[in-house]
Amino acid sequence: MAEEPISRAEVEHVAELAKLSLTDEQASKFTSQLDEIITMIDGLNEVNTDDVKPTTNMADATAILREDIAVNAHQKDALINEAPETEDGFIKVPAIIDESEDA
């Protein structure tokens, strides 16, 4: 089993890295839950799987995909002409990733 349980400080550190605010109650609950998960994983690691083939797909079916055909491609020019801002034949949109915060 796990050599030592996960500490509350570790849980709070990971929450801080993920920019999550935890109440004291949540930190205690998550510490307990994560310790149980790690203990369960340690138990699974003890199972002998030497003769077990890796599972890559639970079903023996192969995905059948349709051919990728552009629909209404003739409307591209009309759409581009209606866009407020374009660049190199593409519609330009505002960035949604805020890079102003420290990493």
Side-chain angles (χ1 to χ4, degrees), residues 48-87:
N48 182 351
T49 58
D50 291 342
D51 296 327
V52 178
K53 292 181 181 179
T55 303
T56 56
N57 188 349
M58 296 302 293
D60 290 331
T62 304
I64 301 171
L65 304 174
R66 66 171 172 79
E67 186 178 348
D68 190 13
I69 300 172
V71 178
N72 298 330
H74 61 281
Q75 295 177 342
K76 179 183 175 188
D77 291 336
L79 180 62
I80 294 293
N81 290 337
E82 293 295 320
E85 191 173 353
T86 63
E87 185 175 305

Side-chain angles (χ1 to χ4, degrees), residues 6-82:
I6 189 167
S7 71
R8 182 182 173 122
E10 290 172 312
V11 170
E12 290 173 346
H13 176 69
V14 171
E16 183 180 328
L17 291 173
K19 298 186 181 202
L20 298 173
S21 298
L22 298 179
T23 65
D24 287 339
E25 182 180 328
Q26 289 171 325
S28 295
K29 182 177 180 179
F30 291 143
T31 301
S32 173
Q33 288 178 337
L34 287 171
D35 191 50
E36 289 176 20
I37 291 168
I38 291 169
T39 300
M40 183 173 39
I41 291 170
D42 285 343
L44 290 173
N45 285 334
E46 293 176 7
V47 175
N48 182 351
T49 58
D50 291 342
D51 296 327
V52 178
K53 292 181 181 179
T55 303
T56 56
N57 188 349
M58 296 302 293
D60 290 331
T62 304
I64 301 171
L65 304 174
R66 66 171 172 79
E67 186 178 348
D68 190 13
I69 300 172
V71 178
N72 298 330
H74 61 281
Q75 295 177 342
K76 179 183 175 188
D77 291 336
L79 180 62
I80 294 293
N81 290 337
E82 293 295 320

